[in-house]
Structures are given as C-alpha cells and as structure tokens.
C-alpha cells in the first residue's frame, strides 16, 4: 500500500480504511490528502480516531467525519454527499 502510513507498534496497531462516496471526492485524513479520490480501498492507517474530510470542489461539497480505525480491521464509510 502506498501513501500515508501511521506508526505501528509491537501489536501491529494499524487498520484499514475503505471510503466511497457519491459523487467522487478527494479524501483528507487528519489534514493530509490521500493519493486517490474515492473509492479508497484498504488504505493503511494507525488505530485510533481520525478526522476524515471528503471534498468535491466542482459540486461545492465538503463533509467532515470522525472515524475510528481498529487494529487489524477495515473501517468502511460509504456516503452520499449530494
């Protein structure tokens, strides 16, 4: 996996994020833009609570979510931004 990788400890404190939206949007995790727009599949992130922002400038859409990443698990978020 490329892009953002949080620190991992002895317990492998990383999980994965799956994000999809209608319409497609840029994805920011804790203020850092991810390399791909939605859909984002199996993006590695450190366990814990993160601020996720989805943005589509063409349609003037911007939404902010709090997501909890659990170690070894995939957290999925599917949203309609319209």
């Amino acid at each position: 996996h490329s892009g953002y990788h949080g620190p991992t400890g002895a317990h492998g404190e990383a999980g994965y994020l799956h994000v999809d939206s209608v319409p497609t949007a840029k994805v920011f995790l804790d203020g850092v833009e991810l390399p791909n727009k939605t859909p984002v599949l199996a993006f590695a992130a450190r366990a814990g609570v993160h601020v996720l922002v989805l943005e589509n400038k063409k349609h003037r859409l911007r939404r902010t979510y709090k997501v909890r990443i659990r170690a070894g698990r995939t957290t999925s978020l599917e949203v309609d931004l319209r």
Side-chain angles (χ1 to χ4, degrees), residues 18-22 54 65 76-80:
H18 170 101
V19 186
D20 201 2
S21 67
V22 177
L54 299 181
Y65 304 91
S76 295
L77 180 69
E78 297 183 18
V79 295
D80 188 333

Side-chain angles (χ1 to χ4, degrees), residues 24-39:
T24 188
K26 287 184 178 181
V27 182
F28 298 84
L29 186 66
D30 299 329
V32 178
E33 184 177 348
L34 302 192
N36 302 318
K37 291 182 178 179
T38 55

Side-chain angles (χ1 to χ4, degrees), residues 20-64:
D20 201 2
S21 67
V22 177
T24 188
K26 287 184 178 181
V27 182
F28 298 84
L29 186 66
D30 299 329
V32 178
E33 184 177 348
L34 302 192
N36 302 318
K37 291 182 178 179
T38 55
V40 172
L41 307 173
F43 183 78
R46 74 185 183 278
V49 176
H50 298 272
V51 175
L52 187 73
V53 175
L54 299 181
E55 181 179 85
N56 180 309
K57 288 189 175 179
K58 178 180 174 186
H59 298 289
R60 296 182 180 173
L61 299 169
R62 182 181 172 96
R63 300 283 190 278
T64 302

Side-chain angles (χ1 to χ4, degrees), residues 1 4-17 42-48 50 68-75:
H1 303 290
Y4 177 93
H5 287 279
T8 55
H11 301 292
E13 299 161 1
Y16 296 93
L17 183 63
F43 183 78
R46 74 185 183 278
H50 298 272
R68 179 177 296 278
I69 303 293
R70 290 179 171 82
R73 301 236 179 128
T74 298
T75 299

